Amino acid sequence: MPSVRVFALPPFCRLRGFTLLELLVVMSIIGLLAGYVGPKFFTHIGRSEIKAVRAQIDGFEKALDQFRVDMGRYPTTEEGLQALLAAPAEATRWGGPYLKKAVPKDPWGQLYQYVQPGEHGEFDLYSFGRDGQPGGTGEAADIGNW
């Protein structure tokens, strides 16, 4: 009959786990920290999305100004921002493309709105914000070149 060897651990190598109470205390602390830090973190994300929209609108304005220098006018509402990538019909002096990449959507996945002539200037370029609807306050407010 084969012999069975039993290994015993020396007293100084005793394996010890955490008690249920210790785990509950740690999980409570993590929950409190998440409840405090989480909302502050998400407000920073909202602010960064607004800053990204403002930066993109600024870049579009520069491209639109270059379009105006070449063409003597801004694109019409019907031509839209696509006129910065492809020459509009009957565009003899078009010197584009004025953007390196396709027109991106805003950080909330909506298309930028372009109107020429605009209510606030020669053209209005804006995003409806987080809610995708006109008007609003806070992160849902419209963000534009006005």
Side-chain angles (χ1 to χ4, degrees), residues 49-65 81 84 99 104-108 112-114 123-129 142-146:
E49 289 171 334
I50 291 170
K51 287 180 182 178
V53 168
R54 292 191 194 284
Q56 286 180 333
I57 286 175
D58 184 51
F60 292 145
E61 283 182 315
K62 290 176 181 164
L64 288 164
D65 288 340
L81 297 176
L84 300 174
L99 297 174
K105 293 184 178 182
D106 68 13
W108 303 284
Y112 283 97
Q113 306 299 310
Y114 174 77
F123 64 88
D124 287 348
L125 179 59
Y126 56 96
S127 166
F128 286 132
D142 297 348
I143 305 161
N145 65 331
W146 47 80

Side-chain angles (χ1 to χ4, degrees), residues 62-145:
K62 290 176 181 164
L64 288 164
D65 288 340
Q66 188 61 47
F67 181 95
R68 182 179 184 193
V69 167
D70 291 347
M71 296 289 295
R73 64 173 179 85
Y74 285 111
T76 64
T77 302
E78 293 77 30
E79 293 170 340
L81 297 176
Q82 293 304 318
L84 300 174
L85 295 168
E90 302 174 17
T92 57
R93 299 183 338 198
W94 189 79
Y98 301 99
L99 297 174
K100 292 181 181 180
K101 299 179 183 177
V103 178
K105 293 184 178 182
D106 68 13
W108 303 284
Q110 305 294 325
L111 295 174
Y112 283 97
Q113 306 299 310
Y114 174 77
V115 179
Q116 196 279 328
E119 294 179 16
H120 305 284
E122 295 187 64
F123 64 88
D124 287 348
L125 179 59
Y126 56 96
S127 166
F128 286 132
R130 179 175 293 284
D131 65 351
Q133 302 295 323
T137 59
E139 290 181 23
D142 297 348
I143 305 161
N145 65 331

